[in-house]
Coordinates of all heavy atoms in Angstrom, one line a residue:
I139 N 10.7 -10.5 19.1 CA 11.0 -10.3 20.5 C 12.3 -9.8 20.9 O 12.5 -9.2 22.0 CB 10.5 -11.5 21.3 CG1 10.2 -11.1 22.8 CG2 11.6 -12.5 21.3 CD1 9.4 -12.1 23.6
D140 N 13.3 -10.1 20.1 CA 14.6 -9.5 20.3 C 14.6 -8.0 20.2 O 15.4 -7.4 20.9 CB 15.6 -10.1 19.5 CG 15.9 -11.5 19.6 OD1 15.6 -12.0 20.7 OD2 16.6 -12.2 18.7
Y141 N 13.8 -7.4 19.5 CA 13.6 -6.0 19.4 C 12.5 -5.4 20.2 O 12.5 -4.3 20.7 CB 13.4 -5.6 17.9 CG 14.4 -6.0 17.0 CD1 14.5 -7.3 16.4 CD2 15.5 -5.1 16.6 CE1 15.5 -7.6 15.5 CE2 16.4 -5.4 15.6 CZ 16.4 -6.7 15.1 OH 17.4 -7.0 14.2
L142 N 11.4 -6.2 20.3 CA 10.2 -5.8 21.0 C 9.9 -6.7 22.1 O 9.0 -7.6 21.8 CB 9.1 -5.5 20.1 CG 9.1 -4.5 18.9 CD1 7.9 -4.6 18.0 CD2 9.2 -3.1 19.5
P143 N 10.3 -6.7 23.3 CA 10.0 -7.7 24.3 C 8.6 -7.4 24.7 O 8.0 -8.4 25.3 CB 10.9 -7.2 25.4 CG 11.5 -5.9 25.1 CD 11.4 -5.8 23.7
E144 N 8.0 -6.4 24.3 CA 6.5 -6.0 24.6 C 5.6 -7.2 24.0 O 4.4 -7.3 24.5 CB 6.0 -4.8 24.2 CG 6.6 -3.6 24.9 CD 7.9 -3.1 24.3 OE1 8.7 -3.9 23.5 OE2 8.3 -1.8 24.5
V145 N 6.0 -7.9 22.9 CA 5.1 -8.8 22.3 C 5.0 -10.2 22.9 O 4.4 -11.1 22.4 CB 5.5 -8.9 20.7 CG1 5.4 -7.5 20.1 CG2 6.8 -9.5 20.5
K146 N 5.7 -10.4 24.0 CA 5.7 -11.6 24.7 C 4.3 -12.1 25.0 O 3.4 -11.2 25.4 CB 6.5 -11.6 26.1 CG 6.6 -12.9 26.7 CD 7.3 -12.8 28.1 CE 7.5 -14.1 28.7 NZ 8.2 -14.0 30.0
G147 N 3.9 -13.3 24.7 CA 2.6 -13.8 24.9 C 1.7 -13.7 23.7 O 0.6 -14.3 23.6
S148 N 2.1 -13.1 22.6 CA 1.3 -12.9 21.4 C 1.8 -13.8 20.3 O 2.9 -14.6 20.5 CB 1.5 -11.4 20.9 OG 2.7 -11.2 20.2
A149 N 1.3 -13.8 19.1 CA 1.9 -14.6 18.0 C 3.2 -14.2 17.6 O 3.9 -15.0 17.0 CB 0.8 -14.4 16.8
Y150 N 3.5 -13.0 17.9 CA 4.9 -12.5 17.5 C 6.0 -13.0 18.4 O 7.2 -12.8 18.0 CB 4.8 -11.0 17.4 CG 3.8 -10.4 16.5 CD1 2.9 -9.4 16.9 CD2 3.7 -10.9 15.2 CE1 1.8 -9.0 16.1 CE2 2.7 -10.4 14.4 CZ 1.8 -9.4 14.8 OH 0.7 -9.0 14.0
E151 N 5.7 -13.5 19.5 CA 6.8 -13.9 20.4 C 7.8 -15.0 19.8 O 9.0 -14.9 20.0 CB 6.2 -14.4 21.8 CG 7.2 -14.9 22.7 CD 6.7 -15.5 24.1 OE1 5.5 -15.5 24.2 OE2 7.5 -15.9 24.9
T152 N 7.3 -15.8 19.0 CA 8.1 -16.8 18.4 C 8.4 -16.5 16.9 O 8.9 -17.5 16.3 CB 7.5 -18.2 18.6 OG1 6.1 -18.2 18.1 CG2 7.4 -18.6 20.1
A153 N 7.9 -15.5 16.4 CA 8.0 -15.1 15.0 C 9.3 -14.5 14.7 O 9.8 -13.7 15.5 CB 6.8 -14.4 14.5
K154 N 9.8 -14.7 13.4 CA 10.9 -13.8 13.0 C 10.5 -12.7 12.1 O 9.3 -12.7 11.6 CB 11.8 -14.7 12.1 CG 12.5 -16.0 12.8 CD 13.3 -16.8 11.9 CE 14.0 -17.9 12.6 NZ 14.8 -18.7 11.7
L155 N 11.3 -11.7 12.0 CA 11.0 -10.6 11.0 C 10.5 -11.1 9.7 O 9.5 -10.5 9.1 CB 12.1 -9.6 11.0 CG 12.4 -8.6 12.0 CD1 12.8 -9.2 13.4 CD2 13.3 -7.5 11.6
R156 N 11.2 -12.2 9.2 CA 10.8 -12.7 7.9 C 9.4 -13.1 7.8 O 8.8 -13.0 6.8 CB 11.9 -13.7 7.5 CG 11.5 -14.5 6.2 CD 11.4 -13.6 5.1 NE 12.5 -12.8 4.7 CZ 12.5 -11.7 3.9 NH1 11.3 -11.4 3.3 NH2 13.6 -11.0 3.5
H157 N 8.9 -13.7 8.9 CA 7.5 -14.1 8.9 C 6.6 -13.0 8.7 O 5.5 -13.0 8.0 CB 7.2 -14.9 10.1 CG 8.0 -16.2 10.3 ND1 8.6 -16.6 11.6 CD2 8.2 -17.2 9.3 CE1 9.2 -17.6 11.3 NE2 9.0 -18.1 10.0
L158 N 6.8 -11.9 9.4 CA 6.0 -10.7 9.4 C 6.2 -10.0 8.0 O 5.2 -9.7 7.3 CB 6.4 -9.7 10.4 CG 5.8 -9.9 11.8 CD1 6.3 -11.2 12.4 CD2 6.1 -8.7 12.7
L159 N 7.4 -10.0 7.4 CA 7.6 -9.5 6.0 C 6.8 -10.2 4.9 O 6.2 -9.6 4.1 CB 9.0 -9.4 5.7 CG 9.9 -8.4 6.4 CD1 11.4 -8.6 6.2 CD2 9.6 -7.0 5.8
D160 N 6.8 -11.5 5.1 CA 6.1 -12.4 4.1 C 4.7 -12.8 4.4 O 4.1 -13.7 3.8 CB 7.0 -13.6 3.9 CG 8.3 -13.3 3.2 OD1 8.6 -12.1 2.8 OD2 9.2 -14.3 3.1
M161 N 4.2 -12.3 5.5 CA 2.7 -12.5 5.9 C 2.5 -14.0 6.2 O 1.5 -14.6 5.8 CB 1.6 -12.0 4.9 CG 1.6 -10.5 4.8 SD 0.9 -9.9 6.3 CE 0.6 -8.2 5.7
T162 N 3.5 -14.6 6.8 CA 3.3 -16.0 7.2 C 3.3 -16.3 8.7 O 3.8 -17.4 9.2 CB 4.5 -16.9 6.5 OG1 5.8 -16.4 6.9 CG2 4.3 -16.7 5.0
V163 N 2.9 -15.3 9.4 CA 2.8 -15.5 10.8 C 1.7 -16.4 11.2 O 0.5 -16.2 10.6 CB 2.6 -14.2 11.5 CG1 2.3 -14.3 13.1 CG2 3.8 -13.3 11.3
G164 N 1.8 -17.4 12.1 CA 0.7 -18.4 12.5 C -0.2 -17.7 13.5 O 0.3 -17.6 14.7
T165 N -1.2 -17.1 13.1 CA -2.2 -16.4 14.0 C -3.6 -16.8 13.7 O -3.9 -17.1 12.5 CB -1.9 -14.9 14.0 OG1 -3.0 -14.3 14.8 CG2 -1.9 -14.3 12.7
S166 N -4.5 -16.7 14.6 CA -5.9 -16.9 14.4 C -6.6 -15.6 14.0 O -7.8 -15.6 13.8 CB -6.6 -17.6 15.7 OG -6.3 -16.7 16.8
Y167 N -5.9 -14.5 14.0 CA -6.4 -13.2 13.6 C -6.8 -13.3 12.2 O -6.2 -13.8 11.3 CB -5.3 -12.1 13.8 CG -5.8 -10.7 13.3 CD1 -6.2 -9.9 14.4 CD2 -5.8 -10.3 12.0 CE1 -6.6 -8.5 14.0 CE2 -6.2 -9.1 11.7 CZ -6.5 -8.2 12.7 OH -7.0 -6.9 12.2
R168 N -8.0 -12.8 11.9 CA -8.6 -12.9 10.5 C -9.0 -11.4 10.0 O -9.6 -10.7 10.8 CB -9.7 -13.8 10.3 CG -9.4 -15.3 10.6 CD -8.5 -15.7 9.6 NE -8.2 -17.2 9.7 CZ -6.9 -17.6 10.3 NH1 -6.1 -16.6 10.7 NH2 -6.6 -18.8 10.4
E169 N -8.7 -11.1 8.9 CA -9.1 -9.8 8.3 C -10.0 -9.9 7.1 O -9.7 -9.9 5.9 CB -7.7 -9.2 7.7 CG -7.7 -7.7 7.6 CD -6.2 -7.1 7.7 OE1 -5.6 -7.4 8.8 OE2 -5.9 -6.4 6.7
E170 N -11.3 -10.1 7.6 CA -12.5 -10.1 6.6 C -13.3 -8.8 6.8 O -14.0 -8.6 7.8 CB -13.3 -11.3 7.0 CG -12.5 -12.7 6.7 CD -13.3 -13.8 7.2 OE1 -14.6 -13.6 7.5 OE2 -12.8 -15.0 7.3
F171 N -13.2 -8.0 5.7 CA -13.8 -6.7 5.8 C -15.3 -6.7 5.8 O -15.9 -6.0 6.5 CB -13.3 -5.9 4.6 CG -11.8 -5.6 4.5 CD1 -11.0 -6.2 3.6 CD2 -11.2 -4.7 5.4 CE1 -9.6 -6.1 3.6 CE2 -9.9 -4.5 5.4 CZ -9.1 -5.2 4.5
N172 N -15.9 -7.6 5.2 CA -17.4 -7.7 5.1 C -18.0 -8.4 6.4 O -19.2 -8.4 6.5 CB -17.9 -8.4 3.9 CG -17.5 -7.6 2.6 OD1 -17.5 -6.4 2.7 ND2 -17.1 -8.3 1.5
N173 N -17.1 -9.1 7.2 CA -17.7 -9.8 8.3 C -16.5 -9.7 9.4 O -15.9 -10.6 9.8 CB -17.7 -11.3 8.0 CG -18.4 -12.1 9.2 OD1 -19.1 -11.5 10.0 ND2 -18.0 -13.4 9.3
P174 N -16.4 -8.4 9.9 CA -15.2 -8.1 10.8 C -15.4 -8.9 12.2 O -16.5 -8.9 12.7 CB -15.5 -6.6 11.0 CG -16.8 -6.3 10.7 CD -17.3 -7.3 9.6
S175 N -14.3 -9.5 12.5 CA -14.2 -10.1 13.9 C -14.0 -9.1 14.9 O -13.7 -7.9 14.7 CB -13.1 -11.1 13.8 OG -11.7 -10.3 13.7
L176 N -14.1 -9.6 16.1 CA -13.9 -8.7 17.3 C -12.5 -8.1 17.3 O -12.3 -6.9 17.6 CB -14.1 -9.4 18.7 CG -14.0 -8.5 19.9 CD1 -15.0 -7.3 20.0 CD2 -14.2 -9.4 21.2
D177 N -11.5 -9.0 16.9 CA -10.1 -8.6 16.8 C -9.9 -7.5 15.8 O -9.3 -6.4 16.1 CB -9.2 -9.6 16.3 CG -8.9 -10.7 17.6 OD1 -9.1 -10.3 18.7 OD2 -8.5 -11.9 17.3
L178 N -10.7 -7.5 14.6 CA -10.5 -6.5 13.6 C -11.2 -5.2 14.1 O -10.7 -4.1 13.8 CB -11.2 -6.9 12.4 CG -11.2 -6.0 11.2 CD1 -9.8 -5.6 10.8 CD2 -11.8 -6.7 9.9
L179 N -12.3 -5.3 14.7 CA -12.9 -4.0 15.3 C -12.1 -3.4 16.3 O -11.9 -2.2 16.3 CB -14.4 -4.4 16.0 CG -15.4 -4.9 14.9 CD1 -16.7 -5.4 15.7 CD2 -15.8 -3.8 13.9
R180 N -11.4 -4.2 17.2 CA -10.5 -3.7 18.1 C -9.4 -3.0 17.6 O -8.9 -1.8 17.9 CB -10.0 -4.7 19.1 CG -11.1 -5.3 20.1 CD -10.6 -6.4 21.0 NE -9.3 -6.0 21.5 CZ -8.1 -6.8 21.3 NH1 -8.2 -7.7 20.6 NH2 -7.0 -6.4 22.0
Y181 N -8.8 -3.7 16.4 CA -7.7 -3.0 15.7 C -8.1 -1.8 15.0 O -7.3 -0.7 15.1 CB -7.3 -4.1 14.6 CG -6.3 -3.6 13.6 CD1 -5.0 -3.1 14.2 CD2 -6.5 -3.5 12.3 CE1 -4.1 -2.7 13.3 CE2 -5.6 -3.0 11.4 CZ -4.4 -2.6 11.8 OH -3.4 -2.1 11.1
R182 N -9.3 -1.6 14.4 CA -9.6 -0.5 13.7 C -9.7 0.7 14.7 O -9.4 1.8 14.5 CB -11.0 -0.6 13.0 CG -10.8 -1.4 11.7 CD -12.3 -1.7 11.2 NE -12.3 -2.3 9.8 CZ -13.3 -2.7 9.2 NH1 -14.5 -2.6 9.7 NH2 -13.2 -3.3 8.0
S183 N -10.4 0.4 15.9 CA -10.4 1.4 16.8 C -9.0 1.9 17.4 O -8.8 3.0 17.6 CB -11.2 0.9 18.1 OG -11.3 1.8 19.0
A184 N -8.0 1.0 17.5 CA -6.7 1.2 18.0 C -5.9 2.1 17.0 O -5.1 2.9 17.5 CB -6.0 0.0 18.3
T185 N -6.3 2.0 15.7 CA -5.6 2.7 14.6 C -6.1 4.3 14.6 O -5.4 5.2 14.1 CB -5.9 2.2 13.3 OG1 -7.2 2.4 13.0 CG2 -5.2 0.8 13.2
G186 N -7.3 4.5 15.4 CA -7.8 5.8 15.2 C -8.7 6.1 13.9 O -9.1 7.2 13.6
W187 N -8.7 5.0 13.1 CA -9.6 5.1 11.8 C -11.1 5.1 12.1 O -11.9 5.4 11.1 CB -9.2 4.0 10.9 CG -7.8 4.3 10.3 CD1 -6.8 5.1 10.7 CD2 -7.3 3.8 8.9 NE1 -5.8 5.1 9.8 CE2 -6.1 4.4 8.7 CE3 -8.0 3.1 8.0 CZ2 -5.4 4.1 7.6 CZ3 -7.3 2.8 6.8 CH2 -6.0 3.4 6.5
D188 N -11.5 4.5 13.2 CA -12.9 4.5 13.5 C -13.2 5.1 14.8 O -12.5 5.2 15.7 CB -13.4 3.0 13.6 CG -13.5 2.2 12.2 OD1 -13.4 2.9 11.2 OD2 -13.9 1.1 12.2
P189 N -14.4 5.6 15.0 CA -14.8 6.1 16.3 C -14.7 5.0 17.3 O -14.9 3.9 17.0 CB -16.3 6.5 16.0 CG -16.5 6.6 14.6 CD -15.6 5.6 13.9
Q190 N -14.5 5.4 18.5 CA -14.5 4.5 19.6 C -15.8 3.7 19.8 O -16.9 4.3 19.8 CB -14.2 5.2 20.9 CG -14.0 4.4 22.2 CD -12.8 3.5 22.1 OE1 -11.7 4.0 21.6 NE2 -12.7 2.4 22.7
Q191 N -15.7 2.4 19.8 CA -16.8 1.5 20.0 C -17.4 1.5 21.3 O -16.7 1.5 22.3 CB -16.5 0.0 19.6 CG -16.1 -0.2 18.1 CD -17.2 -0.1 17.2 OE1 -18.3 -0.6 17.4 NE2 -16.9 0.5 16.0
P192 N -18.7 1.7 21.5 CA -19.3 1.7 22.8 C -18.9 0.3 23.6 O -19.1 -0.8 23.0 CB -20.8 1.8 22.5 CG -20.9 2.4 21.1 CD -19.8 1.9 20.4
G193 N -18.6 0.6 24.9 CA -18.3 -0.6 25.7 C -16.9 -1.2 25.5 O -16.6 -2.1 26.2
M194 N -16.2 -0.7 24.5 CA -14.8 -1.3 24.3 C -13.7 -0.3 24.9 O -14.0 0.9 24.9 CB -14.5 -1.3 22.7 CG -15.3 -2.4 22.1 SD -15.0 -2.6 20.3 CE -13.3 -3.3 20.4
P195 N -12.8 -0.8 25.6 CA -11.8 0.0 26.2 C -11.0 0.8 25.2 O -10.7 0.5 24.1 CB -10.9 -1.1 27.0 CG -11.1 -2.3 26.2 CD -12.5 -2.3 25.7
E196 N -10.7 2.0 25.6 CA -9.9 2.9 24.7 C -8.6 2.2 24.4 O -7.9 1.7 25.4 CB -9.7 4.3 25.3 CG -9.0 5.3 24.4 CD -9.1 6.6 24.9 OE1 -9.6 6.8 26.1 OE2 -8.4 7.6 24.3
A197 N -8.1 2.3 23.2 CA -6.9 1.5 22.9 C -6.1 2.3 21.9 O -6.5 3.3 21.4 CB -7.3 0.2 22.2
D198 N -4.8 1.8 21.7 CA -3.9 2.4 20.8 C -3.1 1.3 20.2 O -3.2 0.1 20.7 CB -3.0 3.4 21.3 CG -2.2 3.0 22.5 OD1 -1.0 2.3 22.2 OD2 -2.5 3.0 23.7
L199 N -2.3 1.5 19.1 CA -1.6 0.4 18.4 C -0.7 -0.3 19.4 O -0.6 -1.6 19.3 CB -1.0 1.0 17.2 CG -1.8 1.1 15.9 CD1 -1.1 1.8 14.8 CD2 -2.3 -0.2 15.5
R200 N 0.1 0.4 20.1 CA 1.1 -0.4 20.9 C 0.4 -1.1 22.0 O 1.1 -2.0 22.5 CB 2.0 0.7 21.5 CG 2.9 1.4 20.5 CD 4.1 2.1 21.0 NE 4.9 2.9 20.0 CZ 4.6 4.1 19.6 NH1 3.7 4.8 20.2 NH2 5.4 4.6 18.6
K201 N -0.8 -0.8 22.4 CA -1.5 -1.7 23.3 C -2.1 -2.9 22.6 O -2.2 -4.0 23.1 CB -2.6 -0.9 24.0 CG -2.1 0.0 25.2 CD -3.3 0.8 25.8 CE -2.9 1.8 26.8 NZ -4.1 2.6 27.3
F202 N -2.6 -2.7 21.4 CA -3.2 -3.8 20.7 C -2.4 -4.8 20.1 O -2.6 -6.0 20.2 CB -4.0 -3.2 19.5 CG -4.6 -4.1 18.6 CD1 -5.8 -4.8 19.0 CD2 -4.1 -4.5 17.4 CE1 -6.4 -5.8 18.2 CE2 -4.6 -5.7 16.7 CZ -5.7 -6.2 17.0
L203 N -1.3 -4.4 19.6 CA -0.3 -5.4 18.8 C 0.2 -6.5 19.7 O 0.2 -7.6 19.1 CB 0.8 -4.5 18.2 CG 0.4 -3.5 17.1 CD1 1.6 -2.8 16.6 CD2 -0.3 -4.2 15.9
P204 N 0.4 -6.2 20.9 CA 0.9 -7.5 21.8 C -0.3 -8.4 22.1 O -0.1 -9.3 22.7 CB 1.5 -6.8 23.0 CG 1.8 -5.4 22.6 CD 0.8 -5.0 21.7
T205 N -1.5 -8.2 21.6 CA -2.7 -9.0 21.9 C -3.0 -9.9 20.6 O -3.9 -10.7 20.7 CB -3.9 -8.3 22.3 OG1 -4.4 -7.5 21.2 CG2 -3.5 -7.3 23.4
V206 N -2.2 -9.6 19.6 CA -2.6 -10.5 18.3 C -2.3 -11.9 18.7 O -1.2 -12.4 19.0 CB -1.7 -10.1 17.1 CG1 -1.8 -11.1 16.0 CG2 -2.0 -8.7 16.7
P207 N -3.3 -12.8 18.6 CA -3.3 -14.2 19.1 C -2.5 -15.2 18.3 O -2.5 -15.1 17.0 CB -4.8 -14.6 19.2 CG -5.4 -13.9 18.1 CD -4.7 -12.6 18.1

Side-chain angles (χ1 to χ4, degrees):
I139 200 168
D140 291 344
Y141 299 85
L142 295 175
E144 293 93 333
V145 302
K146 184 177 181 180
S148 75
Y150 303 127
E151 179 177 356
T152 55
K154 297 179 179 180
L155 277 67
R156 174 52 63 194
H157 297 132
L158 278 67
L159 283 166
D160 293 353
M161 290 293 192
T162 56
V163 174
T165 173
S166 59
Y167 180 101
R168 293 292 178 266
E169 203 154 300
E170 298 177 8
F171 296 105
N172 295 326
N173 185 28
S175 64
L176 180 60
D177 282 339
L178 181 55
L179 292 174
R180 289 175 51 240
Y181 171 62
R182 286 175 172 174
S183 180
T185 64
W187 281 29
D188 280 0
Q190 183 68 32
Q191 294 288 322
M194 292 182 68
E196 187 173 354
D198 60 84
L199 277 170
R200 292 189 183 97
K201 287 180 183 175
F202 173 81
L203 296 173
T205 72
V206 172

